[in-house]
Amino acid sequence: MIAIDWGTSSFRAFRLGADGQAIARVETSMGILNVSQGGFPATLREAVGAWLAGGETRVLMSGMVGSRQGWIEAPYCPCPAGAAEIAASVCAVPFEDAQIFIVPGLSAQDASGTPEVMRGEETQIIGAGAEGLVCLPGSHAKWVRVADGRITGFETYLSGEAFAAIRSGTILGRMMVDGPPVEAAFDEGLARSDSPGHLLHHLFGVRSLGLFGQLHDSASASYLSGLLIGHEIRAALQPGDHVTLLGAPALCALYARAIGLCGGIAAIGPADCAAAGLARIGESIAWT
Amino acid sequence: MIAIDWGTSSFRAFRLGADGQAIARVETSMGILNVSQGGFPATLREAVGAWLAGGETRVLMSGMVGSRQGWIEAPYCPCPAGAAEIAASVCAVPFEDAQIFIVPGLSAQDASGTPEVMRGEETQIIGAGAEGLVCLPGSHAKWVRVADGRITGFETYLSGEAFAAIRSGTILGRMMVDGPPVEAAFDEGLARSDSPGHLLHHLFGVRSLGLFGQLHDSASASYLSGLLIGHEIRAALQPGDHVTLLGAPALCALYARAIGLCGGIAAIGPADCAAAGLARIGESIAWT
């Protein structure tokens, strides 16, 4: 089987052996934003044509390739869902000389009935074999509950994208000086997130602390990062909760330390679980 | 006396009669951002030179003209402070043929000891004669407590600037279509702010509601506005609180409706109170 993790800005394909382990891989920058309309079949063939010619006839893809902006929109599969439910909901893609399926994203509802969606993270989680509370940090951080291999519900926090927008679009950012992360300032922002008052009020403190010389311009980006991540973590977990982190190693390490400082217990899961997740889902698909 | 409200993007001068009422006014776009370094005396003379030549020798200014980016930095006066404390803390500006003072901004600390600042709002509040809880909505909304004419403390919320940054810098904004405000969507966002979950999670709902066809692209900016203003109001007031609103009439009307929907009782105060505030502070200054 060929397993493909096709995201917004990257394309990664894995040729899997009979045991589900990757025996070859191809990685390109042809994320869906770099593929012109109608260009998906050619992009695929260019990347893995040799493997197809070599006799592979099964292709399973996950990620934003199944979004409205991707190859074909793969409708969301409602939670609770594990490998079996996801395999039963894959979306077939017409293709000449291979059987191609796209893994659906998952949908859920929060306590108020507001919809929630993920696309790609479900494959990572299944690949990691994670259980309990799982966090995938990033622009749109996901906090996911998993029981017996099935994703039962999740919430998304816009922390990463809010950080970038506030940094680039407000007076807070205009005071910031680029430089290496400042751990002490991150920790101060994290501690601030535990003090009385709303995030919208805490944000102004980044400005006022700077005005009074209590926060250096070279440290205020780290403070803002700690403030936002602290708000996210304190909202998403209870003290004493165990959390498995999946994602980019440096970001996972930052979150693990922050979760510990917020009273949680974090473990960093295996990195790069997409191929394993696709292999696991692929086992449950009724290939013809 | 000449009263001047000199802000970031506008300059407004009032010639006050003996009763403190404005008998003439000048308004220009020479806010401090439009004044080159060292250009403040000439800008002032150009705007009100005729009044100076006519015998006015007392000039009192408030607003960002007293900030680090202004004419002279007028150090903050700590709360609690009313007209008397502010008048005792005005900052003298050397000038040939008039006595010029700048009203200081006010500083305070929130419950955690984080500094708070305002500059210009104190003059509006004193001019309005507002008492109790006062809200000045805007990019940096101020919620201010006033007792016996003295400002005892306040908190700033970055709601307005956060709205602009999220709209211009995130995927939420990329989905938004410009158009007139949609009151029903504003109210939905306002209601959402009362549901379980953190603002950073609620923000993602703007995206997911759109994906599921539950929020039109032409309505999502209003929803986001209601969401942020709702979070601010619910954090800043208790149900049953009375609030006086000061500021731009349209924004005050929006806040008054939102405060009512959040269980508070809002009254819109007099518009444009800077001249009255400067007159009131001017009465307490020891002019020579």
Side-chain angles (χ1 to χ4, degrees), chain A residues 236-262:
Chain A
L237 65 67
Q238 302 294 320
D241 277 353
H242 288 253
V243 188
T244 301
L245 287 159
L246 299 179
L251 190 56
C252 284
L254 182 71
Y255 262 67
R257 209 171 63 78
I259 287 168
L261 289 169
C262 294

Side-chain angles (χ1 to χ4, degrees), chain A residues 68 110 112 114-117 140 156-158 161 165 170-171 192 195-196 198 200-201 204 208-209 211-212 231, chain B residues 68 110 112 114-117 140 156-158 161 165 170-171 192 195-196 198 200-201 204 208 211-212 231:
Chain A
R68 207 165 294 176
D110 72 10
S112 320
T114 301
E116 266 293 355
V117 291
H140 296 179
T156 305
Y157 289 78
L158 205 77
E161 210 179 4
T170 73
I171 194 168
R192 173 65 166 159
S195 69
H198 194 277
L200 291 170
H201 165 59
F204 185 72
S208 60
L209 287 167
L211 276 175
F212 281 81
H231 268 274
Chain B
R68 208 165 295 176
D110 72 9
S112 320
T114 301
E116 266 292 356
V117 292
H140 297 179
T156 305
Y157 290 78
L158 206 77
E161 209 179 5
T170 73
I171 194 168
R192 174 64 166 158
S195 70
H198 193 276
L200 291 169
H201 166 58
F204 185 72
S208 60
L211 277 174
F212 283 79
H231 268 275

Side-chain angles (χ1 to χ4, degrees), chain A residues 6-260:
Chain A
W6 203 334
T8 303
S9 56
S10 71
F11 171 99
R12 298 186 311 149
F14 307 85
R15 188 173 189 179
L16 305 182
D19 60 355
Q21 299 293 308
I23 53 177
R25 58 182 289 166
V26 170
E27 189 162 353
T28 78
S29 60
M30 292 304 286
I32 69 162
L33 291 183
N34 294 326
V35 178
S36 56
Q37 199 163 12
F40 287 96
T43 303
L44 179 74
R45 199 175 291 280
E46 186 173 345
V48 302
W51 299 347
L52 295 171
E56 295 287 355
T57 59
R58 297 174 174 182
V59 178
L60 184 60
M61 309 192 289
S62 67
M64 294 306 280
V65 68
S67 70
R68 207 165 294 176
Q69 293 75 36
W71 189 335
I72 284 181
E73 186 172 4
Y76 293 102
C77 173
C79 286
E85 290 84 355
I86 291 172
S89 304
V90 290
C91 179
V93 180
F95 198 75
E96 261 175 33
D97 45 355
Q99 198 174 4
I100 302 186
F101 291 113
I102 298 181
V103 169
L106 298 190
S107 63
Q109 293 196 332
D110 72 10
S112 320
T114 301
E116 266 293 355
V117 291
M118 65 166 64
R119 197 179 282 285
E121 291 92 346
E122 71 296 324
T123 303
Q124 300 274 347
I125 292 165
I126 287 167
E131 280 285 313
L133 185 59
V134 181
C135 171
L136 298 97
S139 294
H140 296 179
K142 305 283 182 190
W143 288 76
V144 187
R145 291 171 295 284
V146 188
D148 300 325
R150 297 170 84 218
I151 294 165
T152 58
F154 57 96
E155 282 88 40
T156 305
Y157 289 78
L158 205 77
S159 321
E161 210 179 4
F163 171 81
I166 289 167
R167 180 170 188 171
S168 69
T170 73
I171 194 168
L172 308 190
R174 287 198 290 283
M175 300 171 70
M176 289 174 185
V177 173
D178 284 335
V182 180
E183 189 172 284
F186 179 91
D187 291 356
E188 280 170 37
L190 200 72
R192 173 65 166 159
S193 72
D194 196 29
S195 69
H198 194 277
L199 171 60
L200 291 170
H201 165 59
H202 288 174
L203 286 174
F204 185 72
V206 183
R207 164 96 172 130
S208 60
L209 287 167
L211 276 175
F212 281 81
Q214 295 172 33
L215 180 62
H216 280 274
D217 292 352
S218 61
S220 61
S222 293
Y223 180 95
L224 175 63
S225 173
L227 179 64
L228 289 165
I229 290 175
H231 268 274
E232 175 194 324
I233 290 171
R234 293 183 209 280
L237 65 67
Q238 302 294 320
D241 277 353
H242 288 253
V243 188
T244 301
L245 287 159
L246 299 179
L251 190 56
C252 284
L254 182 71
Y255 262 67
R257 209 171 63 78
I259 287 168

Side-chain angles (χ1 to χ4, degrees), chain B residues 98-181:
Chain B
Q99 197 173 3
I100 302 185
F101 291 113
I102 298 181
V103 169
L106 297 190
S107 63
Q109 293 196 333
D110 72 9
S112 320
T114 301
E116 266 292 356
V117 292
M118 63 167 63
R119 196 178 284 284
E121 291 92 348
E122 71 296 324
T123 302
Q124 300 274 347
I125 292 166
I126 286 167
E131 280 284 313
L133 186 58
V134 181
C135 171
L136 299 96
S139 294
H140 297 179
K142 306 282 182 189
W143 288 77
V144 187
R145 292 172 295 285
V146 187
D148 300 324
R150 297 170 84 216
I151 293 166
T152 58
F154 58 95
E155 282 87 41
T156 305
Y157 290 78
L158 206 77
S159 321
E161 209 179 5
F163 171 81
I166 289 167
R167 180 169 188 172
S168 70
T170 73
I171 194 168
L172 308 189
R174 287 198 289 283
M175 300 170 71
M176 289 174 185
V177 173
D178 284 335

Side-chain angles (χ1 to χ4, degrees), chain B:
Chain B
M1 188 182 103
I2 299 173
I4 300 178
D5 173 21
W6 202 335
T8 302
S9 55
S10 71
F11 170 100
R12 298 187 310 149
F14 306 85
R15 187 174 188 179
L16 305 183
D19 60 354
Q21 298 293 310
I23 52 177
R25 58 184 287 166
V26 171
E27 189 162 352
T28 78
S29 60
M30 293 303 286
I32 69 163
L33 291 183
N34 293 325
V35 177
S36 56
Q37 198 164 11
F40 287 95
T43 303
L44 180 73
R45 200 174 290 282
E46 186 174 344
V48 301
W51 299 347
L52 294 172
E56 295 287 355
T57 60
R58 297 176 174 181
V59 179
L60 184 59
M61 310 192 289
S62 68
M64 296 305 281
V65 68
S67 70
R68 208 165 295 176
Q69 293 76 37
W71 189 336
I72 283 181
E73 186 173 4
Y76 293 102
C77 172
C79 285
E85 289 84 356
I86 291 172
S89 304
V90 290
C91 180
V93 180
F95 198 74
E96 260 174 35
D97 47 354
Q99 197 173 3
I100 302 185
F101 291 113
I102 298 181
V103 169
L106 297 190
S107 63
Q109 293 196 333
D110 72 9
S112 320
T114 301
E116 266 292 356
V117 292
M118 63 167 63
R119 196 178 284 284
E121 291 92 348
E122 71 296 324
T123 302
Q124 300 274 347
I125 292 166
I126 286 167
E131 280 284 313
L133 186 58
V134 181
C135 171
L136 299 96
S139 294
H140 297 179
K142 306 282 182 189
W143 288 77
V144 187
R145 292 172 295 285
V146 187
D148 300 324
R150 297 170 84 216
I151 293 166
T152 58
F154 58 95
E155 282 87 41
T156 305
Y157 290 78
L158 206 77
S159 321
E161 209 179 5
F163 171 81
I166 289 167
R167 180 169 188 172
S168 70
T170 73
I171 194 168
L172 308 189
R174 287 198 289 283
M175 300 170 71
M176 289 174 185
V177 173
D178 284 335
V182 181
E183 189 172 285
F186 180 90
D187 291 357
E188 281 170 36
L190 200 72
R192 174 64 166 158
S193 72
D194 196 30
S195 70
H198 193 276
L199 171 61
L200 291 169
H201 166 58
H202 289 173
L203 286 174
F204 185 72
V206 183
R207 164 94 173 133
S208 60
L209 287 167
L211 277 174
F212 283 79
Q214 296 173 32
L215 178 63
H216 281 273
D217 293 350
S218 60
S220 60
S222 293
Y223 180 95
L224 175 63
S225 172
L227 179 64
L228 289 165
I229 290 175
H231 268 275
E232 175 194 324
I233 290 171
R234 293 182 208 280
L237 66 67
Q238 303 293 320
D241 278 353
H242 287 254
V243 188
T244 301
L245 287 159
L246 299 180
L251 191 56
C252 283
L254 182 71
Y255 263 67
R257 208 172 64 78
I259 287 168
L261 289 169
C262 293
I265 299 140
I268 298 178
D272 206 1
C273 307
L278 288 163
R280 175 79 190 75
I281 294 166
E283 290 168 11
S284 302
I285 288 180
W287 302 95
T288 55

